[in-house]
Structure formats: structure tokens, C-alpha cells
Amino acid sequence: MKYLGPQMLEFPQNGDERGHLVVVEGQKDIPFDIKRIFYIYGSDESVVRGQHANRRTEFVLINVAGQCKVKVRDGKGNEAVFLLNRPHTGIYLPKMVWKDMYDFSQDSVLLCLASEHYDASEYIREYDKYLKLIEEEDK
Ligand code: TYD
């Protein structure tokens, strides 16, 4: 399973009268082994998070509560905005895309599944530097 671009994923809801249970398994429901999870909450609509690209890490983001928007850019002029507002949907983000998360609802809990352990040196946090790297990749 290889996903090329950013895309929405829908996970099965194992729902019954007791509620819902959503399962996300590495290499099955998402195209990588999960090495790290983190989650973001307590942000509100005035906050913009992310604002970086990752050289190696792929992510799946799921708003397990509340909602936020994710703007994804590829450094070549393409951008898309995804609304995460259901606990059984997520967005897949390949490496080397620029992402902004914003418009967080007060109850937003954004679960992030990552393909790599944390390594600050693989984060690109300057947009100009990101554009240069994309340009070099294309040569
Ligand atoms: P940051 O990357 O700024 O969060 P976001 O891009 O989601 O807005 O991370 C916030 C802080 O947390 C920063 O000091 C780095 C630290 N951090 C870790 O130590 N490990 C991690 O896995 C992540 C994602 C962040």
C-alpha cells in the first residue's frame, strides 16, 4: 500500500448500542508502521500550528474530538484544505509537504500518528528553505 499524495482516509466504525470503536492499524489502515503518537488539544481558532515540513516522517492526523482544518502545500504551487471533523476520518500526509493546522474548535483533540520517532533535525521550519529543497529535489 503506497499513498502518493495527501488524502482523506475513512476508518471503519465498529459501532453498536454501546458506542463506537475505531481501529487504526499500521500497514493496514494506514501505509506505515506507527512509531510515535502525539496529540494536540487546548488550541483555539486564533492558533496556527504545524508550519513545517518533515524530511522523513509521514503522518495521519485524526480529530478524535472537535475539529480543525489542515492546509497542505507541496511547494510547487498546489495547496488543499482538509476539514477534520469526524473521529473515524483522518488525513494522510506524506513526507515533504508543508502543513498548517488552524481553526481549532475549543474541544479539538487532534491525534497524530507518525512513521518515525521524534527528531527535531528532520523538521523544516522555514518556508523559504522548504521551497529551495523542493526545487533541488526536482532537479
Ligand atoms: P511543534 O512541532 O511546534 O508542534 P506543532 O507542529 O504540532 O505545532 O512541537 C511543540 C513542542 O513539542 C516542540 O518543543 C517540540 C516538541 N515535540 C517533541 O518533543 N516531540 C514530538 O514528537 C513533537 C511532535 C513535538
Side-chain angles (χ1 to χ4, degrees), residues 36 38 40 49-50 52 101 118 123 125:
R36 170 168 58 119
F38 55 95
I40 295 168
R49 299 200 62 118
H52 61 243
M101 292 89 85
Y118 184 64
Y123 279 67
R125 293 186 182 273

Side-chain angles (χ1 to χ4, degrees), residues 52-56 74-76 95-98 121-139:
H52 61 243
N54 293 76
R55 290 173 192 266
R56 293 199 320 274
D74 70 355
K76 300 171 189 173
K95 64 183 179 173
M96 283 305 275
V97 294
W98 189 269
S121 71
E122 65 106 20
Y123 279 67
I124 305 156
R125 293 186 182 273
E126 294 95 47
Y127 193 61
D128 286 352
K129 185 175 161 190
Y130 167 68
L131 290 179
K132 284 208 181 87
L133 287 167
I134 291 288
E135 216 172 277
E136 278 164 26
E137 257 189 5
D138 267 9
K139 276 183 189 158

Side-chain angles (χ1 to χ4, degrees), residues 49-107:
R49 299 200 62 118
Q51 302 191 286
H52 61 243
N54 293 76
R55 290 173 192 266
R56 293 199 320 274
T57 307
E58 299 166 75
F59 295 93
V60 168
L61 310 186
I62 303 166
N63 255 106
V64 293
Q67 65 176 59
C68 81
K69 289 184 187 135
V70 184
K71 184 197 266 189
V72 191
R73 285 181 268 189
D74 70 355
K76 300 171 189 173
N78 301 303
E79 66 176 54
V81 175
F82 296 85
L83 175 65
L84 292 178
N85 63 355
R86 289 179 299 165
H88 65 288
T89 60
I91 178 175
Y92 167 71
L93 298 172
K95 64 183 179 173
M96 283 305 275
V97 294
W98 189 269
K99 52 245 179 208
D100 299 318
M101 292 89 85
Y102 61 102
D103 272 359
F104 292 92
S105 61
Q106 290 219 326
D107 60 347

